[in-house]
Amino acid sequence: MAGAAIRADLVAALTGCAILIPEGVAYAGSAGVPPQYALYAAPVVLAVYALLGSSPRLIVGAAAAASVFSAATVSQISTDPGTVIALTAALAVLAGAILLVTGLVRAAFIADFLEPAALSGFLCGLALVIVVRQGAKFTGLEPAHGGFLPQAWRLLTNVSEWSGVSTAAGAAALVLLLVLERFLERIPGVLLVLVVSIVVSVVLHLDQHGVEVVGRLPTALPGLRPPDLPLGDWASLGGSAAGMALIVFAVSYSVAERLGDGPDPAKEMRALGVANLGAGLAGGFAVSANPSVSAAVSRAGARTRLTSLLAAVIVLLVGAFLTPLLAPLPEPVLAAVVIAAVRGFLSPKALPRRGQPAAVALTSLAGVLVFGLLEGLLLAAALSLLLFVAEATRVRVVELGRLPAGGFGDVGRHPEAERIPGLIIVRPQGALFYGNIRRTKTAIERAVHGPVKVVLLDLGASYHLEQPVVTGLDTLRTELGDVRLWLAGVHVPVTLPGVPVRSSVGAAVHEFQAEAAGEDALSRASGHDGLDAR
């Protein structure tokens, strides 16, 4: 049984490396660093996640979102090749440190505040940025400087400058990738396309026809050392590092959930943090879960975290002995690999189609395309926070009635629920705090109708009653006038003049009915109408 599991993990590791290595070389270009830097970091990253991660089938390595975000950040600081490499590694180190600290203090819940619609808009914008950036390599066009709009404008208005051979090579690779993925899913399409393109490049001497190739790579063996940068450059990366950490975790956690591995958020943050620290110290760029490789190893039968450890050994061997084989690899083919990998973010199904979520997604998307990646991410985060605050202040108040089977339920959802004469039971569908007490008070006042003696407020959803809430309840007591206010389900001690506090709605209702029965008896004895007893 153990032998079968090891064989399954070995097959899965070979399958994953067949995609991970060429994609890593492609994403190194997206990150703005030489291809060998992807191979420097990969063994370290794979081994670290295998030891610390919570998902046995998740493969962490070079990925589209992190690599392009890294390039966009670093290009704003320097374009000197040596400085770019150091800044790229430093960004990975800082993002890893942020993830590690956040995971250690178990603050992974922070990522839950990023509205899914805002994240989908950001990822769609990121994919468009990636496609335009890779479009220059795809067509053999000299890349333009600036953001998405000037780059897209240059790409689309200079078709006459496209290299016919480069474009044909990229287009053929892209079509073949899509066909293989659609009809021959079990074949490692990326590996097959790259092998074919290398053979064609050698036979037809594509480098002599204006096609850029990877060129000879030095031996890629990892060594750990901190990036050599002045303190000012480290400080300039701070805000972007926080954005990178958010992207890395959001992408990785969503992939792990799709695999059905039930990831532990805090453990994932710690593992991704150490992995990115290792990537930066090895001279590489920031990494996250690779969706395509993770899906491939899962389909190939990966069972345990041994898959990642075996993949680390395979990448190490390739970096040490087989890098010369990558020299004839055409750059347009690598661009096709990246474009194919991110097309899922551009699917119409990836974006909400109507209502508020669609508006949020489109706003986040526009922010990325018009202002830039970091600005777009900050806009997505700000929108998410605004929506959270708006939702938190919008507490729905429902009226309760006694259910035939026992207990109390919303009369709007349960027509059979019985109202108690003279008593209105209301329950806020959420915790009360200073931001929603005013709206809640108004909603309760509007719920009072008919001959009511008591408003019973169920506070079972509020585990903390801050002073603004208590003050609001006291104001409600005053504004109700002759109608008395009772509280039930209170979890903390609270004292309001003339306001009884009971442990549960049932206990309060029982007391009210007992009081009403006593008043009726007193009314009959005195010869008065019970409705006028008070």
Side-chain angles (χ1 to χ4, degrees):
M1 189 68 177
I6 293 174
R7 283 193 298 272
D9 286 338
L10 178 59
V11 170
L14 289 168
T15 302
C17 287
I19 305 172
L20 184 66
I21 293 172
E23 280 195 358
V25 172
Y27 291 139
S30 298
V33 298
Q36 64 268 24
Y37 285 89
L39 301 179
Y40 289 157
V44 177
V45 169
L46 289 165
V48 165
Y49 187 82
L51 297 174
L52 301 179
S54 64
S55 175
R57 295 176 294 172
L58 193 72
I59 299 296
V60 173
S67 63
V68 172
F69 189 86
S70 178
T73 297
V74 171
S75 64
Q76 295 177 0
I77 302 174
S78 176
T79 56
D80 175 70
T83 306
V84 164
I85 292 172
L87 286 168
T88 300
L91 181 62
V93 169
L94 289 175
I98 291 171
L99 284 165
L100 178 59
V101 171
T102 308
L104 288 173
V105 300
R106 306 191 70 82
F109 65 88
I110 293 173
D112 294 337
F113 287 97
L114 191 61
E115 168 70 25
L119 181 60
S120 64
F122 170 78
L123 292 175
C124 182
L126 177 65
L128 288 172
V129 170
I130 291 171
V131 170
V132 168
R133 284 175 176 268
Q134 296 301 315
K137 291 184 179 181
F138 193 93
T139 60
L141 189 66
E142 192 69 27
H145 297 292
F148 171 81
L149 295 179
Q151 291 189 42
W153 178 256
R154 172 168 169 74
L155 183 66
L156 297 175
T157 57
N158 290 274
V159 178
S160 61
E161 298 180 22
W162 290 9
S163 166
V165 181
S166 292
T167 305
L174 183 59
V175 170
L176 184 54
L177 278 169
L178 298 179
V179 169
L180 289 173
E181 184 175 318
R182 176 68 177 84
F183 298 104
L184 298 171
E185 187 177 305
R186 290 190 172 276
I187 292 178
V190 173
L191 178 62
L192 181 59
V193 167
L194 294 180
V195 169
V196 170
S197 66
I198 289 173
V199 172
V200 171
S201 178
V202 171
V203 172
L204 299 182
H205 303 287
L206 293 183
D207 59 329
Q208 299 177 17
H209 295 277
V211 178
E212 292 288 333
V213 297
V214 169
R216 187 167 183 83
L217 301 179
T219 299
L221 292 175
L224 302 180
R225 63 180 182 278
D228 185 14
L229 284 174
L231 186 59
D233 284 345
W234 284 91
S236 65
L237 293 170
S240 297
M244 178 68 83
L246 181 58
I247 292 173
V248 167
F249 179 73
V251 172
S252 302
Y253 192 73
S254 65
V255 173
E257 283 193 316
R258 266 183 273 163
L259 292 175
D261 290 335
D264 178 337
K267 191 172 183 179
E268 283 299 291
M269 274 195 164
R270 294 193 295 271
L272 291 167
V274 177
N276 275 280
L277 281 169
L281 294 176
F285 48 93
V287 296
S288 72
N290 186 304
S292 57
V293 180
S294 298
V297 301
S298 180
R299 288 195 300 267
R303 299 187 184 182
T304 70
R305 60 190 70 244
L306 181 62
T307 300
S308 282
L309 285 174
L310 291 171
V313 174
I314 294 169
V315 175
L316 191 63
L317 294 174
V318 170
F321 302 108
L322 301 179
T323 52
L325 296 178
L326 299 174
L329 186 59
E331 291 282 1
V333 174
L334 292 177
V337 169
V338 176
I339 291 172
V342 302
R343 75 185 191 283
F345 294 137
L346 300 173
S347 168
K349 297 179 180 179
L351 291 176
R353 299 185 181 182
R354 58 177 65 88
Q356 178 180 285
V360 170
L362 290 175
T363 302
S364 180
L365 169 61
V368 171
L369 300 184
V370 176
F371 302 112
L373 289 176
L374 179 58
E375 293 81 0
L377 181 63
L378 292 175
L379 179 59
L383 279 172
S384 301
L385 181 60
L386 183 62
L387 291 171
F388 170 76
V389 172
E391 186 63 29
T393 59
R394 215 170 24 236
V395 174
R396 180 169 172 258
V397 175
V398 299
E399 182 181 353
L400 305 183
R402 196 200 309 270
L403 298 172
F408 297 85
D410 180 1
V411 296
R413 297 178 57 190
H414 300 279
E416 74 278 12
E418 174 194 2
R419 289 182 170 92
I420 311 298
L423 174 69
I424 285 184
I425 311 170
V426 291
R427 179 175 63 201
Q429 298 289 72
L432 298 185
F433 72 109
Y434 67 90
N436 62 22
I437 182 60
R438 182 180 59 82
R439 290 187 179 187
T440 304
K441 181 174 69 66
T442 301
I444 293 172
E445 291 170 347
R446 289 175 179 170
V448 177
H449 55 82
V452 177
K453 296 180 179 180
V454 171
V455 171
L456 175 58
L457 177 58
D458 179 10
L459 293 177
S462 297
Y463 288 85
H464 302 282
L465 294 178
E466 300 170 340
Q467 187 56 45
V469 175
V470 176
T471 300
L473 294 176
D474 192 40
T475 303
L476 174 64
R477 174 189 64 82
T478 303
E479 293 179 354
L480 286 175
D482 292 337
V483 178
R484 291 178 292 161
L485 176 66
W486 290 13
L487 303 180
V490 179
H491 299 280
V492 294
V494 60
T495 302
L496 287 173
V499 178
V501 179
R502 298 296 176 259
S503 60
S504 67
V505 171
V509 169
H510 183 271
E511 182 175 335
F512 173 80
Q513 290 181 318
E515 179 184 292
E519 290 179 353
D520 287 344
L522 179 61
S523 176
R524 286 194 296 271
S526 60
H528 293 292
D529 187 347
L531 289 177
D532 296 328
R534 294 186 61 83

